[in-house]
Amino acid sequence: MASNRKKKEKKKDFVKPKLKVGKAAHNPANHTSTEFKAKRINITSSTKHLINHGDPTTEYLKKLSILRKVTANLNSRKEILAEFLDILKRDPFQETNKLPLDDLIKVIKALLFDQSKKIRHDARAILEELIRNHNNLIILNHDSIMLYVFSAMTHLKPTIRQDSILAINLIINGGEKLKNLTISNHWIRIWKNILVLMNWKKENKSYTDSNDFKDFNGMRFDQLSFISSLLKDGCFPREEYDGEGNSKKNREDTIQIHDLLNTYMIKPNMSMLYRNLKLFGNISVSSKNPKADELADTTLCEDVDDRVKSFYEGFYNSVSKGISDFTKVDDNKLVVISNKILNQLLEIEKLYKAISD
């Protein structure tokens, strides 16, 4: 009996149950399951359309990110720019489309020196629409836009340099506020980049005899026209210059005033009323005629006298020699505009001597 009981107890302790084929062993009592099931949401195409319709800005931002990438498909970038331009023309004040204009400006200003000519053209067209309908927004981003324009003016690719003059023309002709802001804050930097653009930085060099004298799609006339208008807006008071760009001489006032009135009256064309206090970074004029490289880019030239002094002392000789070379070319249009600029330079020389005296 005792032997049978021991056999049964031994069997209970060490028995190994036989499993049937194809069945797994049972889990122990303290087993913890680690399996889990993730819940999935299947969105149909119609549901996606409803969700995106509530936030169109997300789609616009995706397209702007494609525009930023230079390596993206060129045709896709062109189509996106054409779409944005069409939206701005159909809905100028963004009452229904809600285009993110701040993000658009960040992308557009970088496209001003894109490798593709079509991309640059469409970017300028969008910039023109923004200047026309959102002028205050352009004023807020004016300094950063000008940095990209200056980068385009000194770009290694000649065609990008030529197109840059169209972009800065848009900004200066975008209203009185933009014109005054550009000329006052960036007067010296504009002329420095013009010397680079026109290749007028090298001394004792004939511009027309060099390989740099190439007329890319007639851009030389546009560049000279821009120089003429820049001189007119920057160096001559508005009331002393007519609409054709010719100086008004010997104009007599019909109203009789006291002899000492002009001595004590604040001139209406003087924007720097407190210039003698030197509170606004007024430039210091030396008698040694500093070169263009010695003039600080950040110098404010809000006053006409300051602009005349800085231009004459830093850029007059280079511009005069470069314009004189253009009077020797065979193109009649270039000769006419060059002679006009030379006349403006003579007037500026007279203004400088009058200021210095």
Side-chain angles (χ1 to χ4, degrees), residues 67-91:
L67 280 178
R68 287 191 183 97
K69 298 177 182 178
V70 184
T71 57
N73 185 270
L74 182 60
N75 292 328
S76 299
R77 301 173 72 206
K78 292 179 181 179
E79 291 176 0
I80 293 173
L81 278 177
E83 178 186 351
F84 286 160
L85 182 59
D86 182 64
I87 291 174
L88 290 173
K89 289 183 177 180
R90 286 189 291 104
D91 186 13

Side-chain angles (χ1 to χ4, degrees), residues 118-170:
K118 175 63 175 174
I119 294 291
R120 297 196 303 271
H121 178 271
D122 290 346
R124 290 194 302 270
I126 292 177
L127 180 62
E128 184 177 6
E129 292 294 327
L130 292 174
I131 290 174
R132 182 182 297 113
N133 302 309
H134 303 276
N135 199 270
N136 291 332
L137 191 60
I138 297 297
I139 291 175
L140 290 176
N141 296 273
H142 176 261
D143 288 338
S144 61
I145 293 175
M146 290 303 299
L147 289 178
Y148 283 91
V149 172
F150 293 146
S151 298
M153 293 179 73
T154 57
H155 200 274
L156 294 177
K157 192 173 181 180
T159 53
I160 296 179
R161 293 200 304 268
Q162 309 310 317
D163 288 351
S164 64
I165 213 72
L166 301 176
I168 194 171
N169 245 333
L170 284 177

Side-chain angles (χ1 to χ4, degrees), residues 112-117 120 124 149-166 193-194 196-199 207 211-220 223:
L112 294 176
F113 52 86
D114 193 87
Q115 295 293 326
S116 171
K117 183 178 181 180
R120 297 196 303 271
R124 290 194 302 270
V149 172
F150 293 146
S151 298
M153 293 179 73
T154 57
H155 200 274
L156 294 177
K157 192 173 181 180
T159 53
I160 296 179
R161 293 200 304 268
Q162 309 310 317
D163 288 351
S164 64
I165 213 72
L166 301 176
N193 285 279
I194 287 177
V196 176
L197 176 67
M198 306 299 291
N199 196 28
Y207 183 59
N211 294 327
D212 300 313
F213 187 76
K214 295 179 181 179
D215 194 358
F216 294 95
N217 299 324
M219 287 299 299
R220 291 304 181 198
Q223 291 168 352

Side-chain angles (χ1 to χ4, degrees), residues 220-326:
R220 291 304 181 198
F221 179 78
D222 294 334
Q223 291 168 352
L224 294 180
S225 300
F226 170 74
I227 291 174
S228 177
S229 63
L230 184 63
L231 290 173
K232 181 190 70 173
D233 295 329
C235 295
F236 297 95
R238 299 290 173 85
E239 66 274 11
E240 295 182 5
Y241 223 84
D242 59 19
E244 298 179 356
N246 300 317
S247 180
K248 295 182 178 179
K249 300 179 181 179
N250 301 325
R251 188 180 61 180
E252 297 180 357
D253 295 330
T254 58
I255 302 176
Q256 295 181 356
I257 59 175
H258 194 273
D259 295 337
L260 297 179
L261 182 58
N262 287 328
T263 304
Y264 300 102
M265 183 179 65
I266 296 176
K267 297 181 180 180
N269 61 349
M270 181 183 292
S271 57
M272 299 287 286
L273 302 179
Y274 306 101
R275 56 177 299 182
N276 291 332
L277 298 179
K278 298 181 180 180
L279 300 176
F280 304 100
N282 191 19
I283 62 172
S284 58
V285 181
S286 62
S287 59
K288 297 181 180 180
N289 292 338
K291 295 182 179 180
D293 296 335
E294 299 176 4
L295 295 173
D297 293 342
T298 56
T299 301
L300 294 178
C301 295
E302 295 189 8
D303 191 80
V304 176
D305 293 347
D306 290 338
R307 291 195 289 269
V308 170
K309 291 177 182 178
S310 60
F311 172 79
Y312 187 84
E313 296 180 353
F315 309 99
Y316 181 88
N317 293 331
S318 299
V319 175
S320 179
K321 185 178 184 302
I323 295 298
S324 299
D325 287 341
F326 274 108

